[in-house]
Amino acid sequence: MLFDTHAHLNDARFDEDRAQVIQRAKDNGVSLIVNVGYNHETITETIQLAETYDWIYAAVGWHPNEAHRCDDQALSRIEELAQTHPKVVAIGETGLDYYRDYASPEVQQIVFRRQIELAKRVKKPLVIHNREASHDVVAILQEEGAEQVGGVMHCFSGDEALARQCLELGFYISFGGPLTFKNAGKLREVARFVPLDRILIETDCPYLAPHPLRGKRNESAYVRYVAEELARLYQLELDEIGRITLENGKRLFGLP
């Protein structure tokens, strides 16, 4: 009954055992995965995964670190897939990343705004990447009317004030492995603040493996550790957190 709402199972780190990793997820109670493509290559791979496994869906977008490689043709491809492919459920991941300097903030912002416009045209939710750019991310979401389609703040790491702004825009808040880290006391306080009907769980695998696997390759099966931490925070049974976050994810992505 677990939904890994953000994975990168196409990553090269899974090349030698991808089928086994996906089977382990199912064996550990993961019933749905959204795999995320964020440039030409990963979009192609993500679509292939979604077509191979009936319980894996696709998000397609353009990552801020790749914004300098995004052009009209790239955005047209995303729009066509979102309109025609039955397994594409979201636009993203998109957003801003001021930690890396692969693309200038100005270029990132242009590409971000264009993807919000695209999401509104195709009526799909957004998957938002935010790293050290919270003020601009929220401002652009507000200015572009992103509340019309909503979405998810992927791997949320902000404070309560930021969570409140995102919730007011109709967005869901997704927590990953960092929620389980020993030094994540403030993030756990934020998790307690977020209403249960707006929480999602994810792995962002192969990145950000949860405690006690921190530093190792992450995989979708490990979303259970995030669910267990939320269950502890909310004083609920694991099955109940699984059911709630599964229903939230289905509602956001329009899944039956």
Side-chain angles (χ1 to χ4, degrees):
M1 294 280 292
L2 299 172
F3 189 170
D4 182 3
T5 59
H6 195 113
H8 299 282
L9 292 167
N10 53 287
D11 189 275
R13 275 168 276 191
F14 296 116
D15 282 354
E16 294 185 3
D17 63 345
R18 183 170 291 106
Q20 294 95 321
V21 167
I22 292 171
Q23 184 60 48
R24 267 198 300 276
K26 178 161 273 193
D27 292 345
N28 279 275
V30 178
S31 58
L32 287 171
I33 297 172
V34 169
N35 201 78
V36 179
Y38 56 82
N39 60 20
H40 284 305
E41 300 80 13
T42 59
I43 288 171
T44 298
E45 294 159 355
T46 291
I47 294 296
Q48 290 171 347
L49 272 174
E51 290 175 346
T52 302
Y53 297 90
D54 61 2
W55 52 290
I56 297 180
Y57 289 81
V60 295
W62 212 265
H63 196 286
N65 289 342
E66 300 273 340
H68 57 294
R69 298 177 58 206
C70 186
D71 55 20
D72 290 346
Q73 183 179 359
L75 293 171
S76 294
R77 182 190 184 203
I78 292 167
E79 187 161 357
E80 182 180 4
L81 284 169
Q83 289 175 321
T84 63
H85 200 290
K87 298 296 290 291
V88 173
V89 296
I91 302 301
E93 62 189 283
T94 181
L96 302 174
D97 190 321
Y98 293 170
Y99 179 77
R100 305 285 187 193
D101 61 356
Y102 300 126
S104 71
E106 293 76 17
V107 169
Q108 290 185 44
Q109 290 174 22
I110 290 168
V111 172
F112 185 24
R113 289 181 188 275
R114 293 190 67 184
Q115 287 180 91
I116 298 172
E117 294 169 1
L118 191 162
K120 290 192 295 183
R121 286 196 300 273
V122 300
K123 297 179 172 59
K124 300 280 186 185
L126 290 151
V127 178
I128 303 299
H129 173 103
N130 168 30
R131 193 168 186 189
E132 298 187 6
S134 297
H135 179 271
D136 287 352
V137 165
V138 171
I140 289 172
L141 290 172
Q142 292 171 336
E143 291 165 10
E144 297 296 333
E147 71 277 3
Q148 294 176 38
V149 290
V152 53
M153 306 305 292
H154 135 69
C155 203
F156 190 82
S157 61
D159 58 16
E160 185 176 311
L162 178 62
R164 182 180 289 107
Q165 289 178 302
C166 297
L167 291 167
E168 289 172 353
L169 281 163
F171 277 68
Y172 289 72
I173 306 294
S174 182
F175 294 99
L179 185 71
T180 70
F181 295 172
K182 291 182 178 180
N183 61 349
K186 290 184 178 179
L187 187 59
R188 285 189 276 274
E189 290 178 11
V190 175
R192 290 190 190 96
F193 163 77
V194 178
L196 269 172
D197 63 353
R198 301 286 283 281
I199 282 184
L200 299 176
I201 56 176
E202 64 169 273
T203 58
D204 198 22
C205 65
Y207 315 106
L208 300 174
H211 176 80
L213 302 162
R214 187 174 183 179
K216 299 182 179 180
R217 184 190 70 172
N218 201 4
E219 57 182 76
S220 286
Y222 301 161
V223 76
R224 172 176 292 268
Y225 290 96
V226 183
E228 288 172 347
E229 184 63 24
L230 280 176
R232 187 185 67 79
L233 291 173
Y234 277 98
Q235 297 183 317
L236 294 172
E237 295 296 324
L238 176 61
D239 286 351
E240 181 68 1
I241 281 290
R243 181 190 65 79
I244 289 169
T245 52
L246 180 70
E247 289 180 357
N248 292 347
K250 285 183 173 181
R251 187 166 60 249
L252 171 64
F253 294 119
L255 299 178

